Each structure stands twice: as structure tokens, then as C-alpha cells.
């Protein structure tokens, strides 16, 4: 598939001419351009890499992999608005398959120059040589993004990917209802504040609860456990998630007390009822993610209530509540024959124009600092998105998470919430279960 546009902008032609001059022995001290060891040229004045002439002129296409057709077309159209003569070909490749496919296709010479993957597969791509450093764009990207995002795509102080989108759970709250109940639309910042409201608002007989969330998944229990001081994979060793840590014991003991706020068995805390009840306007708080905007926005408009999104509550006196977050990243292939042009394209995804194209075509949240989102078309003044991003910036982005972590962690969470085992016994069960699954 191809998207092309007209003639090359004069500025890029001039940059290409300067590249030719630099390569033919011109005085580098008189030029703002520098040629790196891998042959790519950085134009310091423009703050851009100078694309290879074959790509800049449209003679050779730049090849990119995206998962969604609408996203690919929107991003390429925005890119061509700035680089009108560059020809871009795209192929639809699932994010979770991109690294494995690149390992084969790249070596065979038919891979992409830039591909989109999920952040926890990038370390493997770096080891395999299928992800190359982003180079001089690193400093600018670090200014536009949280260290939480840039750190997880870096090794040895070099960035190997461009964070593209992010998502995390956060605390959603009904401003209108809170004002009626408390006289203020300001949300709780601690679990203790939520408990105080629950003491008067909860009515189990009528199924009225102050808070609803999925109590049987570690994805939702981890913010509480982390606020109590537990760090998952404390040493970065995927063989030891820290299920036997004393900090986890303390966290689980506290988590079990939250059953008083939302007194339902884990099996009954289903997603449909959680989301639907908040959408009715009668639940002050819920914990969910940006996927709920599509349900909550029309419900709020129809029923006349206003809701907000903010960071997750902490234990009083505890640490900030971390959450598990998702993030998509764009990587430059280590096999690319056009590394300069590939870097230009990857970096474009983190510009205002690239971010606007991503959001308008998918609704996903760009992985940029909250203050930058206000300047992006379609995101201006969106407090809901800003709340998700704020929580994402204190999220846990783990380079690698074995699939069986979720199974073991969910079992531990259910055993605690439903009081099926004493907590220390539940921890020992988790330690043994994780080891057994890891040995398979």
C-alpha cells in the first residue's frame, strides 16, 4: 500500500545538497551538520536528521508497520504534509508480532524501516539488533515525555524506541454526586477518605456502593500493594516477582480491609456492572481506564452529571500508588537501509502533528507530558485524558512480564479478597505456583 504526495519542499532539497557537500569533503566546521559513525547526518540548526537522498526524492519508499489501517493512513498523511515528496509504504502487522517478524524479515531484506510494537518486547528487539538507537532525537524526546516512559525504552543511556501511546487505570469520580454528598467536587486522595464516605453512603441492601472496581485482578490490586511499599520484581529478575516480601504481606492485609468498601465476592465484581453502575450516575468512584470514555461521556451528557479523572488513591502516609500501564513504541529497524529517514519518521510520531493524527484516528492517548497535550488538536482542555496521563507517569512499566505472572497474581488477589487462605499461606501458594509455571 502506498501514500504519496507532490514535490519535495525546497528546504529539504537544500538539506540534501548540504549532505552532498559534507560527504564530498566540505569543511564540517562551517556547517551545522554532523555525520555520525553510521553515516547519518544530523542538521543541528533544523534539529532533524537529513534523509537519505533516495528517500527524500521519492525514489525509494520508506517502509513502516502499523497494526491498524486507519492509524497508518492518518499518520502517513500528516507526515507527508511536512515531507511531501517522501513515499511511504505500510503493512499491517500486529504489535505483539512485530519484533518476531522483524527478526526474520529484517535479515531477509524485506522488513520495515520503522515498526510499532509494545514496550515490553523492546528489550528483546535491542538484544536481537532489530531496534536501533534513536540518536540525536533523544534529548528532545526526554523533554517531551516522562522519565517513566523514556527510561523503559533505554539501555546504557541510549533510547531505542519512541513512546507513542500510553494507557493506565486511574480514579474516575462523579463530580456532581460528590458535590451533593460532601459539598465539594474534589476527589479523595487516600483510601481513608473513600472509607469515610462509604461509612455513610454504602447501602448493601440496595446495591449502593461508594466505589466499584475489579477486586480479583492484580492489575487493580497493585496500586494498593505498591502504596504499602511493595515493589514487584524488585531486582528486575523475572524469576522472582517478590511474592514472599514482607511489604507484600502488609499490602495484602490492607487490601483485605477494602472489602468493607465494596463488599462483594471477587467473582461478582464483574466489569459490566462496574462500568454500568458508574454510568448511571449513582456511584461516586470507580477505577477503570480510558476505554470507559466511550461509555461514560454519553451517559454523563444524557443524565446531566460531570465526572473527572485523577491519580489513584494512596494509603494514608503511604507511597504514591503505582499502576501497571501499557505503552506502544515505534522502533527504527537495525536492518534499515535508510536509518536517517527512519529516525525522522519515528520521531514524527511524538510531535504535535503526529500525536494529533494518532489520537484522531484511534482515540488513543499520546505518551506526552500533560502540558503538551493541551496544544494538540482534539485534546485541548481534555481533563479526562490529562488524568490518565498523570497516573501513567507514576505507573510501573516492566521491561518483561511472564504471562504466568498475571495468573499467579490474580490467584493471590482472589485468595486475599475472598479470604480463602491466611495471607502468608496465600503468599507461599503464589511463590510455589509462579515457580511451577515458570518451569513448564
Amino acid at each position: 500500500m502506498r501514500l504519496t504526495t507532490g514535490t519535495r519542499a525546497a528546504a529539504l532539497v537544500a538539506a540534501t545538497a548540504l549532505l552532498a557537500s559534507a560527504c564530498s569533503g566540505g569543511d564540517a566546521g562551517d556547517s551545522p551538520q554532523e555525520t555520525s559513525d553510521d553515516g547519518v547526518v544530523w542538521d543541528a540548526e533544523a534539529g532533524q536528521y537529513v534523509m537519505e537522498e533516495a528517500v527524500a526524492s521519492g525514489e525509494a519508499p520508506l517502509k513502516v508497520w502499523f497494526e491498524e489501517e486507519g492509524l497508518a493512513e492518518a499518520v502517513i498523511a500528516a507526515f507527508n504534509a511536512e515531507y511531501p515528496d517522501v513515499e511511504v509504504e505500510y503493512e499491517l502487522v500486529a504489535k505483539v508480532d512485530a519484533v518476531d517478524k522483524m527478526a526474520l524479515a529484517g535479515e531477509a531484506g524485506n522488513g520495515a524501516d520503522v515498526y510499532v510494537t509494545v514496550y515490553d518486547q523492546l528489550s528483546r528487539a535491542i538484544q536481537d539488533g532489530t531496534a536501533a538507537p534513536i540518536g540525536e532525537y533523544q534529548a528532545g524526546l526526554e523533554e517531551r515525555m516522562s522519565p517513566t516512559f523514556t527510561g523503559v525504552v533505554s539501555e546504557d543511556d541510549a533510547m531505542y524506541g519512541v513512546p507513542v501511546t500510553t494507557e493506565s487505570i486511574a480514579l474516575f469520580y462523579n463530580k456532581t454526586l460528590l458535590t451533593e454528598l460532601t459539598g465539594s467536587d474534589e476527589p479523595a486522595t487516600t483510601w481513608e477518605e473513600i472509607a469515610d464516605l462509604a461509612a455513610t453512603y454504602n447501602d448493601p441492601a440496595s446495591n449502593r456502593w461508594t466505589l466499584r472496581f475489579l477486586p480479583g485482578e492484580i492489575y487493580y490490586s497493585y496500586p494498593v500493594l505498591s502504596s504499602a511499599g511493595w515493589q514487584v520484581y524488585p531486582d528486575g529478575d523475572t524469576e522472582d516477582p517478590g511474592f514472599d516480601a514482607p511489604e507484600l504481606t502488609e499490602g495484602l492485609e490492607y487490601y483485605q480491609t477494602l472489602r468493607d468498601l465494596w463488599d462483594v465476592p471477587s467473582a461478582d465484581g464483574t466489569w459490566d456492572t462496574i462500568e454500568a453502575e458508574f454510568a448511571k450516575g449513582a456511584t461516586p468512584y470507580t477505577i477503570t481506564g480510558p476505554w470507559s470514555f466511550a461509555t461514560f461521556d454519553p451517559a454523563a451528557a444524557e443524565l446531566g452529571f460531570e465526572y473527572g479523572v485523577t491519580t489513584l488513591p494512596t494509603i494514608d502516609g503511604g507511597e504514591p500508588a503505582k499502576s501497571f500501564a501499557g505503552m506502544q513504541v515505534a522502533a527504527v529497524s537495525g536492518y534499515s537501509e535508510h536509518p536517517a529517514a527512519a529516525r525522522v519518521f519515528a520521531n514524527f510520531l511524538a510531535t504535535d502533528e503526529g500525536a494529533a493524527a494518532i489520537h484522531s484516528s484511534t482515540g488513543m492517548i499520546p505518551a506526552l507530558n500533560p502540558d503538551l497535550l493541551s496544544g494538540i488538536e482534539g485534546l485541548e482542555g481534555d481533563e479526562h485524558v490529562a488524568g490518565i496521563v498523570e497516573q501513567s507517569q507514576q505507573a510501573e512499566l516492566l521491561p518483561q512480564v511472564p504471562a504466568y505472572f498475571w495468573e499467579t497474581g490474580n490467584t493471590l488477589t482472589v485468595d486475599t479478597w475472598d479470604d480463602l487462605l491466611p495471607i502468608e499461606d496465600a503468599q507461599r501458594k503464589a511463590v510455589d505456583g509462579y515457580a511451577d509455571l515458570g518451569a513448564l
Side-chain angles (χ1 to χ4, degrees), residues 53-288:
E53 185 174 1
V55 175
S57 65
E59 178 183 346
L62 192 67
K63 299 179 180 180
V64 298
W65 287 352
F66 286 96
E67 184 172 75
E68 301 173 16
E69 186 168 26
L71 172 61
E73 292 179 346
V75 168
I76 293 171
F79 182 77
N80 279 151
E82 186 168 344
Y83 303 99
D85 204 39
V86 176
E87 184 176 313
V88 183
E89 295 181 354
Y90 72 86
E91 181 179 347
L92 300 182
V93 176
K95 298 185 297 291
V96 296
D97 298 331
V99 171
D100 288 336
K101 182 171 182 178
M102 182 58 67
L104 300 174
E107 190 169 352
N110 56 8
D113 296 293
V114 179
Y115 60 96
V116 177
T117 184
V118 286
Y119 82 92
D120 59 359
Q121 294 196 17
L122 190 63
S123 61
R124 184 159 53 87
I126 296 171
Q127 295 170 4
D128 294 344
T130 54
I134 201 67
E136 297 290 343
Y137 287 125
Q138 179 169 338
L141 291 168
E142 288 176 338
E143 290 180 357
R144 294 175 62 80
M145 298 172 174
S146 163
T148 300
F149 298 160
T150 59
V152 79
V153 297
S154 300
E155 284 195 11
D156 299 325
D157 298 323
M159 281 182 65
Y160 283 81
V162 175
V164 176
T165 65
T166 185
E167 68 176 26
S168 171
I169 57 174
L171 183 66
F172 286 56
Y173 59 102
N174 186 319
K175 291 185 175 183
T176 306
L177 183 56
L178 281 179
T179 300
E180 294 175 3
L181 297 175
T182 69
S184 171
D185 66 359
E186 289 297 312
T189 59
T190 67
W191 284 104
E192 286 74 16
E193 292 175 80
I194 296 177
D196 287 343
L197 179 58
T200 57
Y201 186 73
N202 279 6
D203 182 8
S206 62
N207 194 31
R208 190 177 73 187
W209 303 98
T210 301
L211 170 76
R212 296 172 186 267
F213 67 103
L214 290 177
E217 295 185 10
I218 196 168
Y219 191 80
Y220 291 84
S221 67
Y222 186 66
V224 180
L225 305 176
S226 65
S227 186
W230 183 52
Q231 171 65 55
V232 67
Y233 296 108
D235 300 318
D237 181 2
T238 56
E239 294 185 3
D240 181 16
F243 283 145
D244 57 353
E247 295 84 359
L248 178 57
T249 307
E250 181 181 345
L252 290 170
E253 288 173 348
Y254 189 92
Y255 186 68
Q256 200 168 56
T257 69
L258 300 184
R259 180 73 183 254
D260 294 336
L261 310 184
W262 171 222
D263 192 12
V264 298
S266 59
D268 292 344
T270 62
W271 178 248
D272 289 344
T273 57
I274 291 166
E275 192 174 49
E277 290 301 319
F278 186 84
K280 291 178 181 178
T283 303
Y285 295 102
T286 191
I287 296 175
T288 183

